[in-house]
Amino acid sequence: PDAEGKSLFKARCLPEDFAAAVQAAAHGVLERYGEAGYMKLWHEHPFPSAQLAELDRLLARRGPDV
């Protein structure tokens, strides 16, 4: 919290769990909008395909229990 706002939610989780949640959300956005649709909605930046591919690769190395 700082002078601009207050914390509304706090949670603790393993980094792997957080990464898997980001991965699932990103795949959901990609499936729903596609890269072109993403760019139409979020004009300033293209969909982070390379970063998602790297996240996929790293999480796949950890196995299905992640």
Side-chain angles (χ1 to χ4, degrees):
D2 57 26
E4 296 180 24
K6 63 180 181 175
S7 177
L8 297 177
F9 177 78
K10 282 187 179 183
R12 295 183 96 176
C13 67
L14 295 172
E16 295 86 356
D17 293 340
F18 180 77
V22 169
Q23 178 191 39
H27 276 290
V29 168
L30 186 58
E31 288 173 19
R32 181 170 182 177
Y33 299 104
E35 290 189 32
Y38 179 93
M39 190 63 180
K40 285 181 184 177
L41 293 170
W42 291 276
H43 308 280
E44 295 181 24
H45 304 283
F47 186 84
S49 297
Q51 292 85 351
L52 180 56
E54 179 66 2
L55 184 59
D56 289 342
R57 184 185 72 77
L58 291 169
L59 287 175
R61 284 180 34 183
R62 297 194 64 87
D65 293 334
V66 176

